[in-house]
């Protein structure tokens, strides 16, 4: 029975006066309102449009929680009395076990729907048994089936309570992802998990051999796995997960086929979908439909896979591994991270080592990230440099330097951590949200990192003073910049997973990816220099010590060796799998841009305008405006220097001016990508390192990495085939009879000239990329000179350029595709006929 | 409360049309109504807005079910097509009614 409990609102005094004080004005109202003109309203001055939007529309099922339907009127109240009576009847009935089994299957579906993210009020607690589980206490003593039902319900509630608590603590949920509203439902907070597990064990024994046993086992092992992972008892968790899987298989193969739930109406099993509609006045009821059997079982299967992966994580998971782990879990279709509450992952990570989002200051975690990163170490070379400096000075100088470090370096580092804290935390949290929200968060992150870069440069200058260095390496700036570039690439990638890019936008998309990954590759080069510099500095300092006469210093220095990883870190970095992965994708993007640019539709300048320029009336949404709006977030970030629409247009036109050269350049890019990807795919370990999964235990990481790399390699090969097919459309070289004059030298697009120091000026005369440049190993020289292109045959003395009629070229995305789909050329047969014709003509 | 003069609302512009002129309906604004709907519920709240189709917007509304349960539902819009009966407080309604015959459900009344 609901009563008015909202103290914030003033009740009208309708309930206090006797009925006689109200008069019927129905007819009068009808008469008065019918005299109003259409479209006009009579409203109070205080009534605004926003109020109209907020009003709940009565008699609309989706908004009116209190709507009394025919169902509500004809079905019995599913209350405590009903539970007691029904349980009593089932216990006495020869078919009682069958009905209880059906009820438990229905309960499983409700639980699955909740874990999927739907509210408790619309899933689990629409079941009368769940609301009044204590009503089964007495009967459970004497009736095994009722005991099984009771124990399973309590196990379900306990698990649900754990998930709700976790979600609230982690704070990564959004209403659209997962509802944590518990409406004061009793989630058994004071009942120990161990007692509930004991109940489940006992109940399972009592119903052994029946269809109820696997269902009870499923709940039991799920609860145990959840709790064991949370306390880092991975061995017990792994055991529980194995048993959980076995129970799930039994339920799927043996129990479910024998159960008939009877359509969508589950009143018989105690479910009233509108049971809690009055609890959700603030948020209109959605009349949620519970999951079906097959999707629910599939979901549970994925859940066991998730837990199995989480259980295989090393005891101390490295911070650098967390983001790719979340990306892996969210992107792999067979796992389908989006199918489980994100906080389950958070729960594990929280419980794992409390390093991430627990009570430990996050700055400590950031420091750990820097120190333990598999990438070029950022702070450790700095620390080594300091050590080396200390080793070569006398005690007083050493003390002074230590004082400087404490006074100047430490505060700088603290500032760094505090500033980057938020970014890294947000970056990690973004991986745990739905893609749309993830994308918005990432955009904010890289814009903020762009602002942070200026501060990072100041910090580096200060550190240089303390460490008495000159010139590079600019550790922190490089770190910040690399982080930003990764976020920007991820931003585009997530947009692809949201399928927001239209086919005509793909050339621009690849254009930007090429640009960003080029910059990232250069940044890795710079990081290599950082590490090399640190190594050399330490080595030099140690050599200097050897020259000093003091035996004490020599003795001390003899024990001090540069950290082993620095010895080969420079060369290792250039062979670093991650570098290869970056360059492979860059090359893919470059190649695909060129192909799509040369075969695409002209960019009609008459349509649209840039930025706030008004569009030509009636002309619609032109490419320029689309380009600006689509990539606004990237351009707002500042660095690397954004590629404006003008630059894009110039490069597209340049590609089209020399189709043959463009195709050749595209082919070269794809060949480069092929080489990198083949090298990575040949070694599971390298593939895993490329995707930052190398530090994770378990074959799943390596298998997944190989799968991803191989998938991109297959895409690359298919695209290479497409380029070859397109080559047939190019005009044939001129024959001696038709050749009139030496052909002009055609320049290929000169965009992708990576590895040149000081940046490269593009077609628009703008400097591209960061100022650091880089050594670029093996990057293709895209500037190709002196293409021989024969003029088209038989065109006459004006030597007009023949129009190449390209076939339709599209990008085909598969289920495993990321932002790179495979190029597909349509209608190749037409080309062959043309070729035959031309050959005949020539003959 | 009987409004003797109504200041035309400044926004929206449409409201400056004929509806801005004081009508008997304006006098019913901010009055407590009891609105009966087709499923048997009653909504009691202050009238905020109405239109030609008898759509009623009520604020500070209480929903009363046929079983007598009450629930506060704040701002609601009751579509005119679902109205079965509308009641107003006598003290507010009586001055609006020209003829006592208006009080009878079946009686007709004109302007």
């Amino acid at each position: 029975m609901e009563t008015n409990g909202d103290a914030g609102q003033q009740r009208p005094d309708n309930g206090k006066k006797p009925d006689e004080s109200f008069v019927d004005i129905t007819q009068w109202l009808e008469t008065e309102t019918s005299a109003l003109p259409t479209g006009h309203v009579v409203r109070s001055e205080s009534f605004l449009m926003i109020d109209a939007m907020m009003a709940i529309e009565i008699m609309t099922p989706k908004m009116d929680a209190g709507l009394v339907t025919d169902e509500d009127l004809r079905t019995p109240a599913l209350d405590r009395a009903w539970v007691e009576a029904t349980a009593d009847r089932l216990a006495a009935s020869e078919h009682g076990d069958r009905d209880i089994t059906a009820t438990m299957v229905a309960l499983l579906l409700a639980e699955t729907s909740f874990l999927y993210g739907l509210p408790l009020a619309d899933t689990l607690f629409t079941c009368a048994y769940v609301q009044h589980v204590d009503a089964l206490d007495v009967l459970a003593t004497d009736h095994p089936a009722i005991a099984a039902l009771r124990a399973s319900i309590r196990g379900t509630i306990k698990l649900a309570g754990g998930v709700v608590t976790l979600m609230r603590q982690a704070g990564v949920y959004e209403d659209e992802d997962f509802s944590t509203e518990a409406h004061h439902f009793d989630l058994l907070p004071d009942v120990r998990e161990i007692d509930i597990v004991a109940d489940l064990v006992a109940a399972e024994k009592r119903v052994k051999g029946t269809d109820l046993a696997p269902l009870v086992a499923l709940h039991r092992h799920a609860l145990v796995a959840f709790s064991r992972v949370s306390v880092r008892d991975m061995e017990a968790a792994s055991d529980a997960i194995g048993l959980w899987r076995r129970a799930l298989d039994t339920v799927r193969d043996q129990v479910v086929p024998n159960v008939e739930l009877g359509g969508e109406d589950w009143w018989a099993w105690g479910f009233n979908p509108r049971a809690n509609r009055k609890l959700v006045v603030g948020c209109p009821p959605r009349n949620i439909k519970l999951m079906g059997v097959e999707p629910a079982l599939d979901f549970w299967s994925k859940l066991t896979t998730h837990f199995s992966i989480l259980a295989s994580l090393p005891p101390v998971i490295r911070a650098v591994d967390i983001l790719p782990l979340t990306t892996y879990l969210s992107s792999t279709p067979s796992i389908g991270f989006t199918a489980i509450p994100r906080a389950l992952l958070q729960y594990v990570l929280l419980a794992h080592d409390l390093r991430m989002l627990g009570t430990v200051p996050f700055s400590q975690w950031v420091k750990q990230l820097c120190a333990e990163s598999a990438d070029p170490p950022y702070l450790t070379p700095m620390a080594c440099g300091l050590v080396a400096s200390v080793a070569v000075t006398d005690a007083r100088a050493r003390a002074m330097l230590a004082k400087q470090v404490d006074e100047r370096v430490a505060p700088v580092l603290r500032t760094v951590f505090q500033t980057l804290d938020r970014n890294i935390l947000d970056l990690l949290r973004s991986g745990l949200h739905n893609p749309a929200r993830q994308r918005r968060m990432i955009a904010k992150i890289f814009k903020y990192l762009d602002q942070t870069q200026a501060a990072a440069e100041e910090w580096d200058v200060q550190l240089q003073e303390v460490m008495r260095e000159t010139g590079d390496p600019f550790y922190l700036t490089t770190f910040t910049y690399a982080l930003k570039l990764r976020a920007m690439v991820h931003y585009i990638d997530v947009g692809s997973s949201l399928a927001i890019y239209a086919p005509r936008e793909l050339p621009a998309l690849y254009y930007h990816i090429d640009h960003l990954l080029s910059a990232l590759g250069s940044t890795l080069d710079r990081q290599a220099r950082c590490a090399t510099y640190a190594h050399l500095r330490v080595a030099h300092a140690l050599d200097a010590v050897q020259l000093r006469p003091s035996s004490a210093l020599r003795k001390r220095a003899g024990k001090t060796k540069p950290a082993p990883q620095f010895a080969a870190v420079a060369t290792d970095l250039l062979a670093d799998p991650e570098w290869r992965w970056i360059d492979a994708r860059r090359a893919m993007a470059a190649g695909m841009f060129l192909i799509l640019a040369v075969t695409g539709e002209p960019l009609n300048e008459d349509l649209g305008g840039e930025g706030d320029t008004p569009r030509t009336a009636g002309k619609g949404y032109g490419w320029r405006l689309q380009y600006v709006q689509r990539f606004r977030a990237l351009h707002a970030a500042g660095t690397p220097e954004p590629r404006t629409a003008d630059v894009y247009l110039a490069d597209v036109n340049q590609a089209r001016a020399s189709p043959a050269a463009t195709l050749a350049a595209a082919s070269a890019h794809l060949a480069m990508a092929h080489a990198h990807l083949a090298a990575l795919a040949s070694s599971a370990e390298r593939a895993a390192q490329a995707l930052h999964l190398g530090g994770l235990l378990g074959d799943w990481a390596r298998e997944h990495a190989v799968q991803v790399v191989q998938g991109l390699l297959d895409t690359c090969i298919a695209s290479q085939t497409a380029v070859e097919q397109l080559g047939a459309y190019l005009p044939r070289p001129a024959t001696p009879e038709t050749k009139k004059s030496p052909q002009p030298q055609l320049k290929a697009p000169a965009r992708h000239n990576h590895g040149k120091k000081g940046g490269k000026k593009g077609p628009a005369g703008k400097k591209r990329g960061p100022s650091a440049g880089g050594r670029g190993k093996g990057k293709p020289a895209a500037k190709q000179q002196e293409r021989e292109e024969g003029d088209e045959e038989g065109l006459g003395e004006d030597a007009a350029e023949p129009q190449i009629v390209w076939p339709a070229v599209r990008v085909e995305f598969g289920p495993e595709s990321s932002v790179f789909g495979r190029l597909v050329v349509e209608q190749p047969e037409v080309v062959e006929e043309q070729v035959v014709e031309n050959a005949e003509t020539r003959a | 409360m009987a409004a003797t003069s109504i200041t035309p609302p400044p926004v929206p512009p449409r409201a400056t049309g004929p509806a801005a002129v004081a009508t008997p309906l304006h006098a019913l604004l901010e009055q407590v109504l009891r609105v009966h709907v087709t499923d048997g519920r009653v909504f009691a709240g202050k009238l905020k807005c109405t239109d030609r189709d008898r759509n009623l917007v009520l604020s500070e509304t209480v929903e009363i079910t046929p079983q007598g349960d009450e629930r506060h539902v704040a701002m609601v819009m009751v579509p005119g097509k679902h109205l079965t009966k509308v009641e107003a407080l006598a003290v507010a309604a009586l001055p609006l009614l020209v003829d006592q015959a208006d009080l009878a459900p079946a009686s007709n009344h004109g302007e």
Side-chain angles (χ1 to χ4, degrees):
Chain A
M1 293 269 187
E2 294 263 0
T3 55
N4 292 333
D6 197 334
Q9 298 273 358
Q10 193 178 8
R11 276 189 59 180
D13 54 356
N14 56 294
K16 293 181 182 173
K17 295 190 176 177
D19 286 345
E20 297 81 38
S21 66
F22 281 86
V23 296
D24 189 346
I25 59 167
T26 311
Q27 287 297 326
W28 177 89
L29 183 69
E30 186 173 347
T31 305
E32 292 296 329
T33 53
S34 62
L36 292 173
T38 303
H40 283 255
V41 297
V42 172
R43 65 175 180 89
S44 171
E45 283 187 24
S46 62
F47 182 72
L48 304 173
M49 177 63 76
I50 186 70
D51 299 319
M53 301 299 290
M54 287 164 52
I56 298 172
E57 186 172 327
I58 298 302
M59 301 302 287
T60 302
K62 291 191 176 177
M63 291 186 79
D64 187 359
L67 178 61
V68 180
T69 64
D70 291 339
E71 280 177 0
D72 294 326
L73 293 174
R74 69 167 181 258
T75 52
L78 298 180
D79 53 12
R80 189 186 181 87
W82 181 91
V83 170
E84 287 171 347
T86 307
D88 206 33
R89 176 176 59 79
L90 290 175
S93 162
E94 63 175 300
H95 297 300
D97 279 16
R98 182 195 64 191
D99 288 348
I100 291 175
T101 304
T103 302
M104 286 178 65
V105 170
L107 192 64
L108 185 68
L109 303 186
E111 182 183 12
T112 317
S113 304
F114 161 68
L115 291 175
Y116 187 71
L118 299 173
L120 279 173
D122 291 311
T123 52
L124 272 178
F125 282 85
T126 59
C127 178
Y129 291 110
V130 175
Q131 294 227 20
H132 307 287
V133 64
D134 55 325
L136 302 173
D137 289 353
V138 172
L139 274 174
T141 314
D142 297 323
H143 296 278
I146 300 293
L149 178 65
R150 174 183 172 274
S152 295
I153 290 173
R154 284 161 58 87
T156 300
I157 293 174
K158 194 66 183 168
L159 182 65
V163 171
V164 167
T165 304
L166 164 68
M167 293 292 282
R168 287 177 180 166
Q169 281 178 353
V172 291
Y173 66 90
E174 302 293 339
D175 282 341
E176 65 227 34
D177 294 339
F178 192 89
S179 170
T180 60
E181 185 60 65
H183 299 288
H184 304 294
F185 292 137
D186 182 10
L187 298 178
L188 307 177
D190 300 325
V191 179
R192 296 187 309 167
E193 205 169 86
I194 191 170
D195 294 334
I196 292 183
V197 172
D199 271 353
L200 285 162
V201 170
E204 190 184 343
K205 279 184 188 161
R206 291 173 71 184
V207 294
K208 191 175 175 182
T210 70
D211 281 351
L212 290 167
L215 286 164
V216 177
L218 183 65
H219 288 294
R220 169 187 157 202
H221 297 307
L223 186 59
V224 170
F226 187 78
S227 71
R228 290 305 94 194
V229 166
S230 71
V231 296
R232 288 178 280 170
D233 185 355
M234 294 308 178
E235 199 174 323
S238 293
D239 293 341
I241 293 166
L243 294 168
W244 182 8
R245 277 216 182 101
R246 210 182 306 165
L248 181 63
D249 291 339
T250 309
V251 167
R252 184 199 300 269
D253 298 334
Q254 298 176 18
V255 176
V256 166
N258 299 330
V259 167
E260 184 55 56
L261 288 176
E264 298 181 359
D265 188 344
W266 291 356
W267 296 92
W269 319 122
F271 281 85
N272 176 4
R274 293 163 52 73
N276 302 304
R277 63 188 186 277
K278 294 179 183 177
L279 294 175
V280 288
V281 173
C283 177
R286 290 177 283 176
N287 295 329
I288 289 162
K289 190 177 167 184
L290 299 180
M291 256 189 189
V293 172
E294 280 308 315
L297 292 176
D298 183 49
F299 175 93
W300 281 91
S301 178
K302 286 176 182 172
L303 202 58
T304 60
T305 307
H306 267 284
F307 269 77
S308 156
I309 290 169
L310 298 175
S312 72
L313 292 176
V316 176
I317 186 172
R318 292 185 309 167
V320 74
D321 296 324
I322 290 177
L323 187 56
L325 175 63
T326 59
T327 307
Y328 159 70
L329 289 172
S330 64
S331 64
T332 309
S334 61
I335 296 178
F337 184 44
T338 52
I340 66 167
R342 287 162 184 79
L344 279 177
L345 176 62
Q346 284 282 19
Y347 190 73
V348 171
L349 296 172
L350 275 169
H352 231 331
D353 54 12
L354 290 179
R355 184 174 292 152
M356 248 196 74
L357 295 168
T359 56
V360 176
F362 194 68
S363 56
Q364 290 292 91
W365 183 87
V366 173
K367 195 173 178 182
Q368 185 88 19
L369 171 69
C370 298
E372 291 184 358
S373 172
D375 282 34
Y378 303 103
L379 294 182
T380 318
M382 186 163 60
C384 264
L386 284 170
V387 167
S389 301
V390 170
V392 298
T393 59
D394 61 21
R396 281 179 301 177
R398 193 163 57 240
M400 197 182 309
L401 190 60
K403 189 166 177 285
Q404 284 183 5
V405 168
D406 287 340
E407 286 179 358
R408 297 184 63 190
V409 173
V412 171
L413 290 182
R414 268 199 295 278
T415 310
V416 169
F417 295 142
Q418 282 164 8
T419 306
L420 292 180
D421 233 355
R422 173 188 146 183
N423 291 284
I424 296 176
L425 181 59
D426 285 346
L427 196 59
L428 289 165
R429 276 186 166 156
S430 73
L432 297 168
H433 279 283
N434 65 62
R437 185 168 294 269
Q438 190 181 51
R439 199 159 186 265
R440 290 195 291 272
M441 288 185 77
I442 294 171
K444 284 184 189 171
I445 288 164
F446 61 67
K447 274 192 268 190
Y448 191 73
L449 281 171
D450 192 57
Q451 295 163 14
T452 309
Q453 229 176 298
E457 290 184 8
E458 286 182 23
W459 301 327
D460 277 324
V461 167
Q462 290 184 45
L463 286 168
Q464 279 186 338
E465 287 174 15
V466 173
M467 293 170 59
R468 290 179 284 182
E469 290 179 347
T470 55
D472 272 345
F474 276 70
Y475 305 107
L476 297 170
T477 314
T478 309
F479 174 66
T480 310
Y481 190 54
L483 198 60
K484 189 188 86 168
L485 289 170
R486 284 197 174 87
M488 292 172 91
V489 174
H490 192 46
Y491 172 81
I492 295 181
D493 207 11
V494 176
S496 176
S497 70
L498 286 169
I500 63 173
Y501 304 120
R504 63 180 179 276
E505 293 183 286
L506 292 177
L509 193 79
Y510 295 126
Y511 190 63
H512 280 281
I513 292 173
D514 165 44
H515 179 44
L516 295 174
L517 288 175
S518 297
L520 185 57
S522 299
T523 307
L524 289 192
D525 293 339
R526 189 160 147 179
Q527 289 168 359
R529 294 211 316 277
C530 289
T532 306
Y533 180 82
H535 167 67
L536 291 174
R537 193 164 188 281
V538 171
H540 173 75
L542 289 173
D543 287 344
V545 167
Q546 296 299 327
L547 297 175
R548 293 176 70 95
S550 164
S551 62
L553 269 176
R554 266 209 303 276
K555 192 176 175 183
R556 188 164 54 238
K559 295 179 184 172
T560 307
K561 293 184 182 358
Q565 67 268 29
F566 295 147
V569 67
T571 48
D572 283 352
L573 281 169
L574 296 179
D576 187 5
E578 194 203 356
W579 191 93
R580 280 187 179 275
W581 181 239
I582 288 170
D583 202 49
R585 287 180 295 151
R586 177 210 59 77
M588 283 283 299
M592 292 184 78
F593 160 71
L594 290 176
I595 296 165
L596 293 174
V598 79
T599 59
E601 294 295 323
L603 297 175
N604 190 341
E605 288 268 24
D606 292 334
L607 293 180
E610 191 158 4
D612 294 330
T613 307
R615 296 194 288 276
T616 310
K619 287 293 186 177
Y621 196 58
W623 76 268
R624 188 179 289 270
L625 187 58
Q626 284 179 311
Y627 182 94
V628 168
Q629 294 204 346
R630 175 64 76 202
F631 301 107
R632 189 191 302 274
L634 297 180
H635 292 189
T639 56
E641 192 171 300
R643 290 187 167 178
T644 63
D646 284 325
V647 172
Y648 174 65
L649 180 65
D651 281 348
V652 168
N653 287 337
Q654 187 171 11
R656 287 178 177 165
S658 319
T662 301
L663 285 189
S667 188
H669 284 302
L670 292 176
M672 172 62 63
H674 188 139
H676 282 316
L677 292 170
L680 289 174
S682 64
S683 164
E685 192 56 44
R686 272 208 295 271
Q689 285 172 1
L691 269 61
H692 278 290
L693 296 176
L696 298 172
L697 300 177
D699 291 335
W700 63 269
R702 268 146 283 286
E703 285 168 10
H704 168 71
V706 171
Q707 193 180 3
V708 169
V709 173
Q710 187 63 47
L712 192 57
L713 178 58
D714 293 341
T715 301
C716 181
I717 292 170
S719 298
Q720 286 179 296
T721 306
V723 174
E724 286 170 11
Q725 290 173 340
L726 288 172
Y729 287 79
L730 289 170
R732 290 288 177 264
T735 60
E737 291 79 17
T738 57
K739 191 170 179 180
K740 306 242 186 238
S741 60
Q743 299 306 312
Q745 299 296 331
L746 298 177
K747 285 186 183 177
R751 296 174 48 251
H752 309 288
N753 202 347
H754 308 285
K756 283 204 170 181
K757 288 188 180 179
K760 168 85 179 82
K761 289 199 188 290
K766 294 181 183 175
K767 192 172 176 187
R768 293 202 193 100
S771 56
R775 273 193 288 135
K777 176 195 174 195
K779 292 172 180 166
K783 196 168 191 174
Q784 301 184 17
Q785 305 286 335
E786 303 182 355
R787 274 274 163 265
E788 300 177 37
E789 285 296 318
D791 196 357
E792 289 70 19
E793 59 276 6
L795 287 183
E797 298 194 2
D798 59 0
E801 289 281 339
Q803 293 294 323
I804 301 176
V805 180
W806 295 106
V809 178
R810 58 185 173 82
V811 180
E812 194 174 78
F813 294 95
E816 299 284 345
S817 298
S818 59
V819 67
F820 296 103
R822 54 182 59 194
L823 288 166
V824 175
V825 175
E826 294 180 354
Q827 302 171 356
E829 293 76 19
V830 177
V831 176
E832 291 172 7
E833 292 174 12
Q834 287 179 350
V835 169
V836 170
E837 268 184 27
N838 289 338
E840 288 172 350
T841 303
R842 270 189 250 116
Chain B
M1 177 186 81
T4 53
S5 68
I6 302 289
T7 305
V11 289
R14 293 175 76 186
T16 58
V21 176
T23 69
L25 282 171
H26 283 86
L28 212 55
L29 293 174
E30 300 293 340
Q31 297 302 316
V32 174
L33 301 185
R34 286 208 318 202
V35 178
H36 299 244
V37 295
T38 49
D39 68 350
R41 288 179 293 167
V42 178
F43 292 89
K46 289 185 182 174
L47 180 65
K48 286 292 198 181
C49 182
T50 186
D51 63 5
R52 180 186 170 87
D53 297 324
R54 288 193 308 155
N55 298 317
L56 304 174
V57 177
L58 307 174
S59 69
E60 302 170 33
T61 312
V62 174
E63 172 201 70
I64 306 163
T65 66
Q67 294 77 29
D69 298 331
E70 291 187 359
R71 184 170 67 110
H72 193 81
V73 290
M75 184 89 70
V76 299
M77 193 284 285
V78 184
K81 62 184 179 184
H82 290 297
L83 298 179
T84 57
K85 187 161 105 173
V86 180
E87 297 170 312
L89 281 171
V91 68
L94 285 175
L96 301 175
L97 302 173
V98 175
D99 190 340
Q100 288 299 317
D102 289 339
L103 292 174
S107 63
N108 293 323
H109 57 87
E111 292 204 41

